[in-house]
């Protein structure tokens, strides 16, 4: 039996999933090489940290699991194996303290991604990981016959370096962590999809997730209120409701409240050319209370003045009411209360993959085993956003990515130990 130090592992993709897998497998004394197409590692990870790196969330486990929607069963055991507390302990082990914010979200104390990434790469170098930036994966050879990748029993991977030179790497096992298709300039361009499709892997086309949605605003509304946040709303799409905030943009709406309803809105777009989003601008006030407060206002005051004084509605929220309803539809306290509690927005489409925070699509979940090895290709494991799962922002994306990396790395370790 070969010793771990004699077994070669190729990890393709230098984002969070690839970095985590490299750390785990190198700690087990495997000979690990990490390949990344871009000149440096963790570019999208750094992008995620621009507004404060939201690592995970502190809410109860069942509520946390529910954020993964149809993928919850897929994640149930994975999030037990690598839960939010494990992620915080991992940060502590790197010398990075974390804290829980007022919203329950978990951040590094520095509130930045760069210190985490620097400590992480230092740890990988200390553990002997061979870091190979500027190497773009071009596919794999001879994987159509499972377990017979080459005459030497090794899996062959093809790469191209920054000069355009092609080269082949032989490894005892492979872990692919090439990401989805959002923010392609950061490295996750989804080009790997065609390679795996050519090998017969089951895949689904990428769609934008955690993205903005288009609304046909009037020119005056868009010019005046683009960049304005509407906070403490209740949002509804289909049968799903969430509390959150939205940001008005020149093209439509974006923000955490919108992202949490992304799946429901995408489903509606599959059936119709538009989707309907309903806002409750004052979820803590019922309709009767709003009517009562409005009735106490002087009728000669402007609508904006009455709404500001009675229910503290912001100028942007008042403008949104006027954008969506005619003056006749806002002529009585009853009508105004109905509009405040049920403001409909017609969404005409999504922003592009290039502008999305994440993507949904990629490898279908039934193409991988419980340990995230491709069913058709023994020795090839996958992790992260290559897999067809979805989650909203708020720490759930990174937590899911880390959990799949841990699962795939441990599965790869067991597979190599068993087969060698």
């Amino acid at each position: 039996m070969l010793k771990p130090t004699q077994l070669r592992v190729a990890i393709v993709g230098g984002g969070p999933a690839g970095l985590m897998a490299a750390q785990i497998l190198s700690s087990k004394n495997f000979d690990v090489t990490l390949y990344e197409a871009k000149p440096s590692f963790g570019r999208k990870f750094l992008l995620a940290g621009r507004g404060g790196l939201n690592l995970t969330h502190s809410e109860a486990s069942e509520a946390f699991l529910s954020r993964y929607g149809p993928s919850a069963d897929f994640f149930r055991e994975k999030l037990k194996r690598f839960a939010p507390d494990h992620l915080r302990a991992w940060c502590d082990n790197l010398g990075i303290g974390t804290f829980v914010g007022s919203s329950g979200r978990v951040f590094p104390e520095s509130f930045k991604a760069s210190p985490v990434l620097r400590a992480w790469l230092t740890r990988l170098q200390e553990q002997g990981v061979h870091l190979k930036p500027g190497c773009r994966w071009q596919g794999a050879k001879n994987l159509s016959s499972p377990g017979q990748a080459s005459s030497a029993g090794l899996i062959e991977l093809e790469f191209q370096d920054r000069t355009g030179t092609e080269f082949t790497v032989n490894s005892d096992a492979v872990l692919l962590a090439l990401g989805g298709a959002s923010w392609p300039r950061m490295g996750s361009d989804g080009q790997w999809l065609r390679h795996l499709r050519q090998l017969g892997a089951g895949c689904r086309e990428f769609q934008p997730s955690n993205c903005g949605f288009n609304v046909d605003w009037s020119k005056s509304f868009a010019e005046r209120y683009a960049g304005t946040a509407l906070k403490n709303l209740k949002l509804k799409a289909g049968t799903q409701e969430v509390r959150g905030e939205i940001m008005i943009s020149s093209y439509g709406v974006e923000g955490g409240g919108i992202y949490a309803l992304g799946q429901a809105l995408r489903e509606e777009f599959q059936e119709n050319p538009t989707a309907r989003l309903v806002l409750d601008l004052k979820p803590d006030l019922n309709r009767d209370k709003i009517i009562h407060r409005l009735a106490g206002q002087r009728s000669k005051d402007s609508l904006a003045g009455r709404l500001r004084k009675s229910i503290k509605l912001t100028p942007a929220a008042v403008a949104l009411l006027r954008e969506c309803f005619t003056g006749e539809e806002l002529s009585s306290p009853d009508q105004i209360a109905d509009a405040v509690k049920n403001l409909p927005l017609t969404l005409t489409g999504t922003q592009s993959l290039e502008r999305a925070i994440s993507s949904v699509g990629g490898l279908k979940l039934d193409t991988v085993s419980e340990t995230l090895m491709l069913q058709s290709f023994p020795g090839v494991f996958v992790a992260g956003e290559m897999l067809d799962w979805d989650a909203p922002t708020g720490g759930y994306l990174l937590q899911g990515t880390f959990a799949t990396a841990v699962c795939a790395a441990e599965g790869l370790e067991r597979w190599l130990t068993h087969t060698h």
Side-chain angles (χ1 to χ4, degrees), residues 291-345:
I291 292 172
H292 176 74
R293 291 188 180 185
L294 284 168
Q297 299 297 310
R298 296 186 304 175
S299 59
K300 67 177 183 179
D301 288 345
S302 67
L303 176 64
R306 284 182 286 150
L307 287 169
R308 177 178 56 81
K309 293 175 183 177
S310 61
I311 59 174
K312 295 182 171 57
L313 214 59
T314 65
V318 175
L320 185 59
L321 284 172
R322 286 177 165 153
E323 181 76 3
C324 298
F325 296 95
T326 66
E328 291 182 354
E329 293 171 323
L330 298 172
S331 59
S332 71
D334 290 47
Q335 290 176 313
I336 295 170
D338 287 337
V340 168
K341 299 297 288 183
N342 292 281
L343 188 151
L345 287 182

Side-chain angles (χ1 to χ4, degrees), residues 56-58 79 82-92 106 399:
T56 186
H57 202 287
S58 63
L79 289 173
F82 196 75
D85 285 346
H86 295 127
L87 179 49
R88 297 188 70 184
W90 169 79
C91 284
D92 287 339
V106 177
Q399 181 69 51

Side-chain angles (χ1 to χ4, degrees), residues 55-378:
L55 290 164
T56 186
H57 202 287
S58 63
E59 68 184 345
S61 58
E62 283 302 312
F64 193 105
L65 184 63
S66 71
R67 307 298 185 182
Y68 294 87
S71 306
D73 286 342
F74 171 80
F75 273 103
R76 186 173 297 278
E77 293 304 317
K78 295 170 182 62
L79 289 173
K80 288 180 182 178
R81 170 60 194 90
F82 196 75
D85 285 346
H86 295 127
L87 179 49
R88 297 188 70 184
W90 169 79
C91 284
D92 287 339
N93 186 257
L94 286 180
I96 305 293
T98 58
F99 71 96
V100 180
S102 58
S103 64
R105 299 181 181 189
V106 177
F107 300 89
E109 289 178 349
S110 65
F111 217 58
K112 297 178 180 178
S114 52
V116 180
L117 184 59
R118 283 196 299 269
W120 205 354
L121 291 172
T122 298
R123 179 64 55 84
L124 296 186
Q125 291 170 325
E126 291 170 350
Q127 292 181 185
V129 176
H130 310 291
L131 300 175
K132 301 289 184 181
C135 299
R136 176 172 287 277
W137 186 58
Q138 299 295 303
K141 290 183 179 179
N142 303 323
L143 288 182
S144 57
S145 299
Q148 303 294 323
S150 74
S151 59
L154 300 175
I155 298 170
E156 297 182 31
L157 300 175
E158 297 176 308
F159 290 91
Q160 185 179 80
D161 67 18
R162 281 172 281 187
T163 68
T165 302
E166 296 184 351
F167 62 96
T168 299
V169 170
N170 294 325
S171 291
D172 293 285
V174 175
L175 194 151
L176 301 176
L178 290 156
S182 62
W183 285 97
R185 64 186 179 87
M186 294 291 108
S188 298
D189 56 16
Q191 292 300 308
W192 56 266
L193 198 68
R194 61 185 177 87
H195 297 307
L196 291 185
R197 271 197 169 140
Q198 289 170 358
L199 294 170
C203 301
R204 192 162 72 95
E205 286 297 327
F206 286 112
Q207 297 178 57
S209 178
N210 290 299
C211 64
F213 287 83
N214 302 331
V215 180
D216 290 334
W217 300 131
S218 65
K219 183 179 179 181
S220 60
F221 179 84
E223 288 179 348
R224 183 166 183 178
Y225 292 103
T228 303
L230 296 176
K231 300 184 178 182
N232 191 28
L233 310 178
K234 181 184 288 185
L235 304 92
K236 182 177 180 180
T239 60
Q240 293 189 28
E241 288 186 358
V242 298
R243 291 285 289 260
E245 66 178 62
I246 66 172
M247 179 73 72
I248 298 169
S249 72
S250 59
Y251 63 79
V253 288
E254 57 186 43
I258 302 290
Y259 305 154
L261 295 173
Q263 179 195 338
L265 292 169
R266 285 197 305 272
E267 288 176 355
E268 191 168 348
F269 274 119
Q270 289 174 4
E271 302 293 331
N272 303 293
T274 61
R276 179 182 171 91
L277 176 70
V278 179
L279 306 180
D280 181 345
L281 301 178
K282 283 293 176 180
D284 296 324
L285 291 178
N286 64 36
R287 179 180 181 274
D288 290 342
K289 188 168 288 188
I290 293 174
I291 292 172
H292 176 74
R293 291 188 180 185
L294 284 168
Q297 299 297 310
R298 296 186 304 175
S299 59
K300 67 177 183 179
D301 288 345
S302 67
L303 176 64
R306 284 182 286 150
L307 287 169
R308 177 178 56 81
K309 293 175 183 177
S310 61
I311 59 174
K312 295 182 171 57
L313 214 59
T314 65
V318 175
L320 185 59
L321 284 172
R322 286 177 165 153
E323 181 76 3
C324 298
F325 296 95
T326 66
E328 291 182 354
E329 293 171 323
L330 298 172
S331 59
S332 71
D334 290 47
Q335 290 176 313
I336 295 170
D338 287 337
V340 168
K341 299 297 288 183
N342 292 281
L343 188 151
L345 287 182
T346 299
L347 311 182
T348 59
T350 67
Q351 287 288 284
S352 65
L353 275 167
E354 288 78 11
R355 295 180 60 87
I357 293 174
S358 63
S359 60
V360 62
L363 281 166
K364 296 179 180 178
L365 298 183
D366 61 7
T367 65
V368 297
S369 69
E370 285 294 317
T371 59
L372 300 189
M373 183 170 72
L374 285 170
Q375 303 276 18
S376 302
F377 309 129

